[in-house]
Amino acid sequence: EIASCLVGSEMCIRDRDDLVGYAIRRAQIVIYEDFLNALAPWDITPQRFSSLSLIAANANLKLTDLARILGIARSGAVQIVNQLQDLGYVERQEAEHDKRAYSLAMTPAGETVLAEITRAVKAHDARISAQLSAAQKHQLIGLLGKLG
């Protein structure tokens, strides 16, 4: 039951038990907090992790492409890349076919740390889904895919 009641209080929110969005949001808060705690040693947020993964998987990725893939404004992507560059994980390089643009590349330190972070993310995922069977995990991913 997702209902939350304060001990010694009449304040309950049982009327939200059947709201899908409410249940997802409550789960998301717990999952997000665990994710942040798991990746705190590297100062990595979900957007930084996604960006690192995309840069590592796509050689010569341009900043505008990163922004498009993430679904954020170019200025937001600039901020993320600046943070990753300050951490020493990525670098900007002149684009081969467009001297006005920059390609993004992982640094050796970024490659190493991405492997460590990926292990931490997998451990986080195992923690948050430990009470689900493999079939339930598959079903949950499928159901969530239908929502967005």
Side-chain angles (χ1 to χ4, degrees):
E1 180 177 81
I2 295 176
S4 297
C5 296
L6 299 175
V7 176
S9 171
E10 296 177 24
M11 182 180 277
C12 291
I13 51 174
R14 284 185 183 23
D15 61 326
R16 292 188 175 54
D17 283 354
D18 60 346
L19 298 177
V20 173
Y22 182 75
I24 291 172
R25 178 64 176 141
R26 288 192 44 112
Q28 188 271 335
I29 290 169
V30 172
I31 292 166
Y32 186 77
E33 286 176 1
D34 189 82
F35 184 94
L36 291 180
N37 288 334
L39 300 186
W42 299 278
D43 195 21
I44 292 295
T45 62
Q47 279 191 319
R48 290 180 190 171
F49 174 67
S50 295
S51 298
L52 271 179
S53 298
L54 287 165
I55 294 166
N58 297 281
N60 302 315
L61 185 68
K62 291 193 178 86
L63 193 70
T64 52
D65 294 329
L66 178 65
R68 182 181 46 76
I69 294 166
L70 292 174
I72 62 175
R74 186 182 182 283
S75 60
V78 167
Q79 186 176 27
I80 292 169
V81 169
N82 286 346
Q83 293 164 345
L84 293 173
Q85 194 167 13
D86 290 344
L87 290 167
Y89 300 159
V90 301
E91 61 187 9
R92 289 175 170 93
Q93 300 173 340
E94 284 188 10
E96 288 182 27
H97 303 293
D98 185 354
K99 296 300 179 194
R100 299 167 297 162
Y102 289 96
S103 295
L104 304 172
M106 299 291 288
T107 64
E111 294 283 353
T112 300
V113 91
L114 180 58
E116 295 169 4
I117 291 167
T118 300
R119 283 191 296 275
V121 168
K122 288 180 179 180
H124 151 77
D125 193 70
R127 244 186 339 274
I128 62 155
S129 63
Q131 296 183 30
L132 301 175
S133 68
Q136 289 172 322
K137 289 179 195 179
H138 182 73
Q139 181 182 23
L140 178 59
I141 290 168
L143 289 171
L144 290 172
K146 290 183 176 192
L147 297 178

